[in-house]
Amino acid sequence: MMKTRAVVQGVGHYLPERVIPNSWFENKLDTSDEWIRARTGIESRHFAAEGETVSELATKAASSALGAAGRAADDVDAVIVATSTPDLTFPSAATIVQAKLGMTRGYAFDVQAVCAGFVFGLSQANALIVSGQARRVLLIGAETFSSILDWSDRSTCVLFGDGAGAVLLEVAECEGSNRDRGILATDLHSDGRHRDILYVDGGVSTQEIGHLRMQGREVFRHAVEKLAGTAQASLDSLKITGADVDWLVPHQANLRIIKSTAQKLGLEMERVVLTVQEHGNTSAASIPLALSVGVERGQIQPGDLLLTEAIGGGLAWGSVILRW
Ligand code: ACO
């Protein structure tokens, strides 16, 4: 039976110019390049310049995705920005991006699910397209986590980076099988009981300027278990296994989390797109950045089956399976 699908027709990314190697932290904190590499796999990350905001990074990534798809801004029906670090409390980063792209139609809104934001955004974009509320959705993951880091906390500030990635999803009528291009499965979860193991200790209604706080070991423990669980649920819903997947494109938080999850799913590391070494953890931007870099490197090819998964503050986590 024919089925309406949301298919990725273009991908792009943008990274701020400033590259920060691990050695940058050695002069400021009791840490070392060796410790950061061994515990996280991170070698360097990009930080936005002073005054360079999420909407600027997002607009550049979005323009690149539109270019790759051969579409103009006014071809888009909906813009979704997944971010936890918007320029302003309101309006949404998405409406600012809409204006910066020169878009005069459609609608725009943000999704806030921290590091799981892009997976939640993919699920929302899919729902809009499958339900007929949009034919083309521009989905962007963009973050400037450098603006919420506590530079005196060595257990968190070495982990994160800034950047943006974007995909243009378009409606397509497909045959209704696992061979179809587009989004084939989605699986979302959250559990607010774990809100205090990863959070920012301030915000608009508390009238505090907040910084990221994390119980690293606890987050690690939840991450491995929950990521493998959601990925397996998506695979099961299509009656396939890890062996059918061409590329795992995970949220890039920590190489050890990625390796453990891949192992649980029976995927060799040769089939994992890895960018954490050069990007650090860019939260909602990490998966679209990895998709774009994976295409640029020639790893991801048209027709490949991709599995993405992410977890972040909330806790919120989920997975998506799509054919490229
Ligand atoms: N340099 C040197 N030493 C450090 C550093 C640092 N940057 N950070 C922590 N340490 C020290 C600690 O103080 C501790 O010292 P102690 O034993 O004297 O108390 C020691 O290293 C071990 O600390 P642990 O927290 O047990 O180290 P662990 O091996 O768990 O690694 C890490 C810490 C990397 C944060 C790990 O727990 C982790 O990756 N957790 C997942 C968190 C994550 O990725 N969060 C991202 C956001 S959520 C997400 O995107 C999934």
Side-chain angles (χ1 to χ4, degrees):
M1 201 176 59
M2 295 291 282
K3 201 161 178 173
T4 305
R5 303 271 193 203
V7 176
V8 174
Q9 297 293 8
V11 63
H13 72 270
Y14 177 77
L15 288 159
E17 273 172 33
R18 195 155 67 116
V19 178
I20 305 290
N22 290 345
S23 56
W24 186 81
F25 294 94
E26 288 176 347
N27 311 323
K28 304 175 189 304
L29 295 162
D30 181 14
T31 189
S32 65
D33 175 41
E34 196 190 356
W35 191 96
I36 300 168
R37 278 176 200 251
R39 300 293 180 111
T40 71
I42 299 166
E43 294 167 20
S44 61
R45 75 286 292 139
H46 294 245
F47 282 158
E50 183 112 16
E52 195 177 22
T53 60
V54 146
S55 71
E56 288 170 49
L57 308 186
T59 304
K60 287 176 178 158
S63 298
S64 158
L66 284 173
R71 295 290 181 192
D74 271 342
D75 294 333
V76 174
D77 300 314
V79 179
I80 305 175
V81 175
T83 190
S84 301
T85 47
D87 300 21
L88 303 169
T89 303
F90 74 80
S92 65
T95 50
I96 300 174
V97 171
Q98 185 188 25
K100 285 185 173 168
L101 288 172
M103 235 178 109
T104 54
R105 58 178 297 280
Y107 53 92
F109 60 95
D110 289 357
V111 164
Q112 215 277 41
V114 204
C115 298
F118 191 77
V119 166
F120 275 61
L122 276 178
S123 176
Q124 296 313 301
N126 186 50
L128 290 177
I129 288 174
V130 169
S131 65
Q133 294 177 80
R135 292 181 62 79
R136 293 195 192 97
V137 179
L138 186 55
L139 171 63
I140 309 152
E143 301 279 17
T144 54
F145 261 47
S146 60
S147 57
I148 51 166
L149 296 175
D150 175 351
W151 301 107
S152 66
D153 178 6
R154 65 178 182 173
S155 70
T156 56
C157 72
V158 301
L159 303 176
F160 296 90
D162 301 339
V167 292
L168 182 71
L169 293 137
E170 295 195 9
V171 70
E173 293 307 319
C174 302
E175 67 176 27
S177 79
N178 287 352
R179 290 187 300 274
D180 292 347
R181 286 188 66 209
I183 294 178
L184 303 177
T186 64
D187 182 63
L188 303 181
H189 302 267
S190 68
D191 187 344
R193 288 175 300 175
H194 304 301
R195 65 191 179 280
D196 58 351
I197 63 170
L198 177 55
Y199 65 104
V200 170
D201 59 359
V204 184
S205 58
T206 55
Q207 297 285 301
E208 299 274 345
I209 296 171
H211 294 103
L212 186 143
R213 306 292 173 209
M214 179 176 72
Q215 294 173 32
R217 251 185 244 179
E218 271 299 287
V219 173
F220 195 101
R221 191 175 63 77
H222 281 287
V224 174
E225 174 212 316
K226 290 182 165 53
L227 290 173
T230 181
Q232 194 58 53
S234 282
L235 291 168
D236 290 348
S237 75
L238 298 176
K239 300 187 173 57
I240 60 174
T241 69
D244 298 302
V245 171
D246 294 301
W247 290 102
L248 176 64
V249 189
H251 169 47
Q252 312 278 323
N254 178 313
L255 190 55
R256 290 187 298 148
I257 295 176
I258 294 172
K259 280 185 175 164
S260 307
T261 311
Q263 195 182 15
K264 280 187 180 226
L265 296 170
L267 277 146
E268 317 84 62
M269 288 306 286
E270 290 70 36
R271 288 194 285 144
V272 182
V273 178
L274 282 179
T275 55
V276 68
Q277 297 96 324
E278 302 94 42
H279 298 172
N281 181 347
T282 57
S283 187
S286 92
I287 290 175
L289 270 164
L291 288 171
S292 183
V293 169
V295 168
E296 232 173 49
R297 285 180 189 154
Q299 292 176 308
I300 300 171
Q301 297 289 334
D304 280 355
L305 192 66
L306 312 186
L307 169 60
T308 70
E309 33 81 342
I311 186 165
L315 294 173
W317 68 100
S319 62
V320 171
I321 295 177
L322 71 157
R323 194 173 292 284
W324 198 250

